[in-house]
Amino acid sequence: MEFTVHDFIQGLLPEAMPAALGYTLAAILVAVVVLSAFVAPLAGVTSWLERRVWARMQSRVGPNRVGPQGLLQWLADGVKNIQKEDIIPASADRKLFLLAPYIVFSGFLGAFVVIPFGSWLIPADLNIGILYLLAITSLVVVGILMAGWSSNNKWSLLGGMRSAAQIVSYEIPAGLAVLTVIFLSGTLSMQGIIQAQGWAPWDWFIFYNPFTLVAFFMFFVAALAEGNRTPFDIPEAESELVAGYVTEYSGMRFLFFFFAEWGNLYVIGAISATLFLGGWQIPATVFGMTMADHPLLKGVLEFTVFFLKAYLWAFVAMWVRGTLPRVRVDQLMAMCWKYMVPIAFICLFGTILFLVIWPEGNRALTFATLAFSGLVMLYFVWRVVFQIMHSRPTLYFKPYV
Amino acid sequence: MEISIDVLIFYLVSLVVVGSACIVAFSRNIVHSAFSLLGTFGGVAGLYVFLGADFVAAVQVLIYVGGILVLILFAVMLTHRISDIDITNRTVGRIPGLVAVAVFLGILVYAIGETDWVKVKEVAYAPTTATIGNLFLGDYLLPFQIAAVVLLVALIGAITLSRKEIKE
């Protein structure tokens, strides 16, 4: 096979054009394809799933008319919103108002550059991967502030302010939790962090020691807050602020904000899976087949494992949204600064101490942490079964009402 | 003339930096000025990437866009009479401003003329994070520690200033 990508790109270009220009155009084309073929359906299906899951939790039906079980509802919503009039308030700051959704969206989309879907399936394995991820998502704050201010509406401004304060504050516990993992793996690269873990739960960083178990939950809660998710969705609290910073937006621009929010749900899950849950790691042999001999099957399995791990946490976020009430502004700030930051610091120093005492790790403590988590899960399952047995089972065992 | 694609991208990034810096300086609307800093900070991060400084580029975005820009925006938006569009950046007057600019320009031109410029044609695009870490905890440990203490003092000072006085 002598025919390479280089020849292919050269063949498409006129003689005089430099190859680098061809590569640039090809990169832009690939970015567009990835955007339309992966990220858009991902955010769309997530929005449908969230509405269905949430409806089941509230004993409603949810969207079930467009396509089988309402699976195509997101397409219908998209088509509807494109047709809508793009209303710009007369007193809004026109330029900033038009620009804001794109800044929020590019902040969200930039995260996909370093998400490792498989051992070779990553757009760019940057040496500074996780740092880049923390940096690029901070664009969202600027976009939200821009939307809040340019709408020239007190609810928008209040929502934007709340959101920015919240994201900036919760970046600290999230960053500290990420730092805990960086100490364990000794690298900032996303692939490096995954390669430092194994396929089995006892090789994951979440069960490495009791401190990392806590750090994982610190990270997940902080990530939910940074994504403006319930119970931390005070920037768009309907009962207080109409719709917060998106109050004045309509049509496709409105949709861009929520596109970013739903897509972000998957990004949160993906980062959690990468940092703490072993990412795409699969055993070297599955059902007696050596994975190195089946590169395609290996790639598919890795992608599936990573996708499921990431989506599990997206599902947990939906679940939390359906369960917990919204916190107040002062509670939100107190929770971050008075509880989560100190706990995250304890996790960090605990892990450092752990690394000093047992540089090679402590298997007994790892298994104890794993066993403890397993017991909590078992108790949880037992409670759920108990609840179902003592309620009306017919309602619960018919998921497709 | 041969124009390679990275030179083109370099000029594009430079244009963004200089263009948004011009908006920061000349815009009559202070909020527009503040938001234009986004282009300046982001573009400077792009220039760092051209210099092969990947870690510094990411930190530039993290600290300047995610932290300092948001802080500036907060300060600007919470300023009294922000709805008044008449607030401009000009507060001192033209003559002192002109003198300050002229002096600063002189210093810059002198510094540029005196510096022995190394040609950055042979930038090594290699990971820099580990080197930076080793230097911070080795050769430059004392400046690093002093900077940390200064930041801590600033933090305590900010808390003291903004703390609500509890009155009996």
Side-chain angles (χ1 to χ4, degrees):
Chain A
M1 264 275 280
E2 286 300 300
F3 185 76
T4 57
V5 179
H6 183 75
D7 295 330
F8 179 68
I9 290 172
Q10 282 283 292
L12 288 179
L13 292 173
E15 285 295 310
M17 251 159 93
L21 184 64
Y23 277 111
T24 313
L25 293 177
I28 292 171
L29 190 73
V30 167
V32 170
V33 169
V34 167
L35 169 63
S36 50
F38 184 72
V39 179
L42 185 71
V45 171
T46 307
S47 80
W48 164 77
L49 194 69
E50 169 152 49
R51 290 167 70 182
R52 284 290 284 183
V53 167
W54 214 18
R56 287 300 306 158
M57 287 175 182
Q58 298 171 340
S59 296
R60 293 185 287 118
V61 178
N64 70 343
R65 289 283 167 245
V66 191
Q69 293 303 321
L71 188 57
L72 300 176
Q73 179 68 43
W74 60 279
L75 269 179
D77 286 345
V79 170
K80 183 185 82 176
N81 272 291
I82 287 177
Q83 294 168 345
K84 292 281 181 191
E85 186 188 353
D86 185 22
I87 301 167
I88 302 163
S91 59
D93 189 324
R94 201 182 155 84
K95 276 181 219 150
L96 294 182
F97 187 83
L98 295 181
L99 186 63
Y102 300 112
I103 292 191
V104 170
F105 194 69
S106 49
F108 144 72
L109 205 63
F112 276 87
V113 171
V114 291
I115 289 184
F117 294 102
S119 51
W120 46 265
L121 201 62
I122 177 169
D125 182 22
L126 298 181
N127 168 51
I128 46 160
I130 186 69
L131 192 67
Y132 163 84
L133 204 107
L134 293 177
I136 200 75
T137 43
S138 61
L139 267 183
V140 174
V141 190
V142 179
I144 286 175
L145 270 175
M146 197 181 270
W149 189 80
S150 65
S151 299
N152 203 2
N153 173 323
K154 62 184 171 190
W155 291 299
S156 298
L157 186 61
L158 277 174
M161 287 287 182
R162 279 183 178 190
S163 176
Q166 174 179 335
I167 294 176
V168 169
S169 304
Y170 276 87
E171 245 170 32
I172 293 164
L176 288 171
V178 169
L179 205 57
T180 313
V181 169
I182 293 171
F183 272 113
L184 290 177
S185 67
T187 175
L188 293 170
S189 143
M190 297 294 262
Q191 295 287 41
I193 290 171
I194 291 179
Q195 273 148 15
Q197 306 174 62
W199 65 272
W202 51 86
D203 287 330
W204 296 350
F205 281 153
I206 180 174
F207 301 123
Y208 190 79
N209 63 26
F211 298 111
T212 51
L213 184 68
V214 179
F216 170 75
F217 288 101
M218 288 297 116
F219 174 78
F220 189 67
V221 172
L224 282 187
E226 283 191 71
N228 290 334
R229 297 280 310 174
T230 319
F232 307 107
D233 66 340
I234 55 158
E236 43 201 85
E238 302 90 349
S239 50
E240 305 162 32
L241 294 177
V242 188
Y245 54 88
V246 289
T247 305
E248 297 287 356
Y249 282 90
S250 55
M252 208 55 201
R253 281 177 210 283
F254 172 82
L255 208 61
F256 263 121
F257 283 107
F258 279 89
F259 200 162
E261 186 176 325
W262 279 310
N264 200 29
L265 213 53
Y266 181 77
V267 173
I268 292 171
I271 302 170
S272 308
T274 306
L275 294 181
F276 292 96
L277 300 171
W280 41 257
Q281 291 275 14
I282 53 168
T285 50
V286 181
F287 298 124
M289 284 185 293
T290 314
M291 276 296 117
D293 298 341
H294 304 80
L296 191 66
L297 182 67
K298 183 168 178 261
V300 170
L301 271 183
E302 281 175 351
F303 180 79
T304 315
V305 164
F306 184 82
F307 194 86
L308 287 181
K309 276 180 191 169
Y311 223 92
L312 171 72
W313 292 100
F315 175 74
V316 171
M318 293 171 192
W319 191 2
V320 168
R321 184 176 177 184
T323 316
L324 295 179
R326 186 178 288 141
V327 296
R328 272 196 334 253
V329 185
D330 57 325
Q331 289 171 336
L332 184 91
M333 285 297 153
M335 185 176 154
C336 177
W337 291 104
K338 290 183 186 165
Y339 299 97
M340 286 180 64
V341 170
I343 292 174
F345 264 117
I346 290 172
C347 292
L348 184 62
F349 287 119
T351 306
I352 294 172
L353 212 64
F354 191 88
L355 281 174
V356 169
I357 300 172
W358 296 290
E360 299 299 314
N362 185 334
R363 281 315 235 189
L365 210 52
T366 302
F367 279 106
T369 315
L370 184 61
F372 172 74
S373 316
L375 280 180
V376 172
M377 280 300 289
L378 267 181
Y379 177 72
F380 179 74
V381 170
W382 178 71
R383 285 301 305 180
V384 170
V385 171
F386 181 85
Q387 293 293 341
I388 291 176
M389 297 295 269
H390 288 76
S391 59
R392 289 171 295 149
T394 48
L395 187 71
Y396 287 93
F397 291 134
K398 275 197 299 181
Y400 299 128
V401 175
Chain B
M1 200 183 88
E2 183 77 24
I3 297 178
S4 66
I5 196 81
D6 41 348
V7 172
L8 206 68
I9 296 175
F10 171 77
Y11 279 114
L12 210 68
V13 171
S14 308
L15 189 75
V16 169
V17 174
V18 175
S20 46
C22 284
I23 299 178
V24 174
F26 296 124
S27 172
R28 296 190 68 85
N29 184 334
I30 193 166
V31 175
H32 285 187
S33 292
F35 276 118
S36 298
L37 282 173
L38 176 63
T40 316
F41 291 152
V44 169
L47 293 181
Y48 283 138
V49 171
F50 268 103
L51 290 169
D54 52 354
F55 184 79
V56 181
V59 169
Q60 161 84 12
V61 175
L62 187 66
I63 303 294
Y64 278 86
V65 176
I68 294 187
L69 179 56
V70 172
L71 211 65
I72 290 175
L73 286 172
F74 259 81
V76 167
M77 285 178 182
L78 293 177
T79 311
H80 187 50
R81 286 167 57 227
I82 191 59
S83 51
D84 257 353
I85 220 78
D86 287 340
I87 300 175
T88 70
N89 297 335
R90 244 174 292 159
T91 47
V92 185
R94 282 168 197 238
I95 307 297
L98 213 62
V99 171
V101 167
V103 169
F104 190 61
L105 186 72
I107 295 172
L108 273 186
V109 168
Y110 176 75
I112 291 170
E114 287 296 297
T115 309
D116 183 21
W117 291 101
V118 184
K119 206 149 190 221
V120 283
K121 197 75 184 167
E122 307 84 24
V123 179
Y125 289 102
T128 56
T129 317
T131 323
I132 291 175
N134 285 334
L135 284 176
F136 266 153
L137 294 178
D139 294 357
Y140 298 98
L141 184 60
L142 188 64
F144 183 59
Q145 290 296 325
I146 290 174
V149 171
V150 168
L151 282 176
L152 183 67
V153 170
L155 200 68
I156 294 170
I159 292 169
T160 316
L161 285 177
S162 63
R163 191 170 62 103
K164 249 186 244 161
E165 287 297 332
I166 300 165
K167 285 180 182 135
E168 291 301 313

